[in-house]
Amino acid sequence: MTRAARPAPLAPADGAIALAFAAAYVALLLATAGDLGYARDEGFYFVAANRYGAWFQALVEAPRAALAPEAVDAAWSVNREHPGLIKSLFALSNLVLQKRLGLFAMEGTSYRFPAMVLSGAGVALVYLWGTQARDRIAGASAAVLFAMLPRYFYHAHLACFDAPIVTVWALCAYAYWRALRDGGALWPVLTGIAFGLALDTKHNSWFLPIVCVAHAVALELRERIVAPAAPPQQQRGARRSLAALAAMATIGPIVFYALWPWIWRDTLPRLREYASFHLNHEYYNMEFLGRNHWTPPMPRAYAPVMTAATVPVVTLCLFAAGLCASARERLLYPLACAAARLAPPGGAGALASVRALAARLRPPAHDPGGTALLWFLAIAAVYGAWLSPSTPIFGGTKHWMTAYPFIALFAGAAFSAAVRRARVALRALLRARRGAGLLRARRGAGARPGAFARAPRSAALERAARGPLVPALLGAAVVAAPIAETLHAHPWALSSYTPLVGGPPGAATLGLNRTFWGYTTGAVVDYLNENVPPRGTVYVHDTAGPAWDMLLRDGRLRKDIRGVGAVAGADFALYHHEKHMLGQAYQAWVAFGTTRPDHIAGLDGVPVILVYRNPAR
């Protein structure tokens, strides 16, 4: 039997380290935002945030008028296909931090800042969870591996919902886990609040009850299988999960309702409209392995292949090692116990062998939170959606990013185990060297020159084996590639692919999507400012009008450059390369009488955005 153990409390230093992780990540995002263009969806959210901001101002100045149903609907009907929490943060950041305090050099950054802060909080949360569930080495390595995912790093910059839902989703799962580990009323209540925040962030939150209910059922089954070997105080995980689930079912919807004024009246019809929009979402184009996919059936291999092609290889390898180690530790003993129950006492054969194996196996350490199981279910539930051929694939990797914190946590656990093994191996090597030296001395070999000098050196190496040197050196080796890949890919992260598929050139050869959302206009503003004549026109192609306007408001584009919606008659034409958009390039050829772009920009020699110049103008 194992003795019940509560989770090690986080030290004050862990809070400071988590805060440092968050602050450093936000600072890095701010420092790299200046050359990142605005994504198509960001433009729509700028418009919605401005409407919400006007309503917040009216709420302060004339609350009775602002709360009138007509005023609420006029403001909150904008972009009502998505909940209001994150757009509200965009609006408040722009109103307070930019218009009142003037903190940012570019106005667009004020809309992006809340998502950056939430992304930094997500990195800090991964550190805290990994540290509490495993150890500080696991937490730190998981946080860095999570932060240095090229696609996540890109989305963490944006005034969108994809990075915020990753943080809030993980926060709800963490609160649920703490409810199981700690008991009491606080963490179930926090679970319900976090679930409400997730509901009001994005519809990815709908997967959270699936994960938590499946986890509670699995805990109950585990306790029924292993119950005879466990004292009563170790059989509380499944029962504690009921309190957290009840809070999710009650507190969650209340928080969701309170923070989204659009559903304050006609609640059920508007919720049905919201759900229908996402359950019956229209399909957009996406290239995969050289084929353009628009309507079902969608390729079931899309999610695993794109994950393998975009997540750094070392992160994937550590994740696989951590997952396998957890499965071996957590599954072997319960399965052996279950099989042993089927074996008749004193019997022979395979079942008797299993019974003997169960008697020899050591029960795994007590874990009332079912940590590894929760991490696995969080990954499986998210990726499971892409087993259906009707699931849209137009969002690239962003739609399953809620699984990435848990992939990083498994990777961090594996790295921590590797550090422990390296320390053991180093100490064994030092002991073997000392033993060999003593053996030579006993055989009369005598002390060779420098033998006494090596003794302090061996002692120093022994101290290094126990100190921070081993994890520091191994950690640097592990995180070097993800950091290099992530920073090298900026600001072309949606064109970034790992060496597993040959990098961006290999991915282009395989026919994997190079870009979407029209955000790479930000990478050619210097060219446009230098070459477009006064009051010249540019066909903006896939760049949304509000996103183009924000480049003008930021001062990144000259104020006199005019964006137009037709290539005919324009001075310049942008072309963001996507397979289904080749016709846009052909139109530029016809309108300008040339197939030769005047400017090409991209990643590692792969053209991503092309600029055509009209020779007649």
Side-chain angles (χ1 to χ4, degrees), residues 449-523:
F452 293 104
R454 283 196 296 271
R457 190 186 312 163
S458 297
L461 289 174
E462 181 73 31
R463 288 193 298 272
R466 292 192 296 265
L469 182 61
V470 172
L473 292 176
L474 289 178
V478 163
V479 303
I483 291 175
E485 287 181 43
T486 300
L487 298 182
H488 172 70
H490 185 78
W492 307 94
L494 295 188
S495 310
S496 171
Y497 290 90
T498 68
L500 201 62
V501 294
T509 302
L510 289 171
L512 298 178
N513 176 265
R514 297 186 200 180
T515 188
F516 60 92
W517 267 356
Y519 76 99
T520 52
T521 300

Side-chain angles (χ1 to χ4, degrees), residues 162-256:
D162 303 295
I165 188 58
V166 172
T167 296
V168 184
W169 208 102
L171 177 64
C172 182
Y174 173 75
Y176 167 82
W177 177 77
R178 289 294 301 268
L180 271 59
R181 299 269 302 212
D182 296 2
L186 174 63
W187 285 104
V189 170
L190 293 178
T191 303
I193 294 173
F195 181 55
L197 296 176
L199 287 173
D200 205 31
T201 298
K202 200 177 180 188
H203 64 284
N204 305 55
S205 56
W206 299 349
F207 288 95
L208 276 164
I210 299 173
V211 172
C212 295
V213 169
H215 184 261
V217 171
L219 285 185
E220 181 65 26
L221 292 175
R222 182 191 72 175
E223 292 177 1
R224 287 175 182 268
I225 292 173
V226 191
Q233 63 268 27
Q234 293 189 20
Q235 301 177 29
R236 297 175 180 170
R239 294 167 179 80
R240 288 174 175 173
S241 66
L242 294 178
L245 293 173
M248 291 174 68
T250 54
I251 299 175
I254 294 172
V255 173
F256 176 48

Side-chain angles (χ1 to χ4, degrees), residues 3-140:
R3 184 167 53 90
R6 294 181 65 81
L10 292 169
D14 290 314
I17 293 171
L19 185 60
F21 267 120
Y25 200 59
V26 173
L28 180 60
L29 294 172
L30 287 170
T32 52
D35 57 352
L36 186 65
Y38 293 107
R40 184 175 185 82
D41 285 11
E42 284 187 285
F44 306 141
Y45 305 148
F46 294 154
V47 174
N50 289 337
R51 293 284 289 275
Y52 297 179
W55 184 82
F56 286 131
Q57 287 182 308
L59 186 64
V60 172
E61 297 167 359
R64 184 182 297 274
L67 292 172
E70 300 79 13
V72 171
D73 286 356
W76 293 88
S77 62
V78 180
N79 195 240
R80 60 181 180 269
E81 58 267 29
H82 295 290
L85 174 61
I86 304 303
K87 287 173 288 183
S88 299
L89 297 180
F90 299 162
L92 293 172
S93 176
N94 177 254
L95 282 175
V96 178
L97 301 183
Q98 185 65 18
K99 292 181 177 177
R100 287 193 182 180
L101 302 178
L103 294 185
F104 304 104
M106 297 184 299
E107 184 175 3
T109 306
S110 68
Y111 294 97
R112 286 176 161 179
F113 186 64
M116 293 180 180
V117 172
L118 284 170
S119 299
V123 174
L125 177 62
V126 168
Y127 168 76
L128 292 173
W129 199 346
T131 298
Q132 191 169 19
R134 296 295 183 260
D135 54 44
R136 192 172 287 170
I137 292 174

Side-chain angles (χ1 to χ4, degrees), residues 257 262-275:
Y257 177 85
W262 170 246
I263 61 172
W264 285 355
R265 69 187 187 102
D266 297 332
T267 303
L268 291 180
R270 291 180 177 184
L271 285 176
R272 281 196 295 268
E273 177 190 14
Y274 165 58

Side-chain angles (χ1 to χ4, degrees), residues 151 155 284-286 302 392-400 494 516-517:
R151 301 289 178 112
H155 287 286
Y284 302 143
N285 294 274
M286 179 58 67
Y302 183 75
I393 64 171
F394 58 80
T397 60
K398 74 186 185 80
H399 286 157
W400 58 78
L494 295 188
F516 60 92
W517 267 356

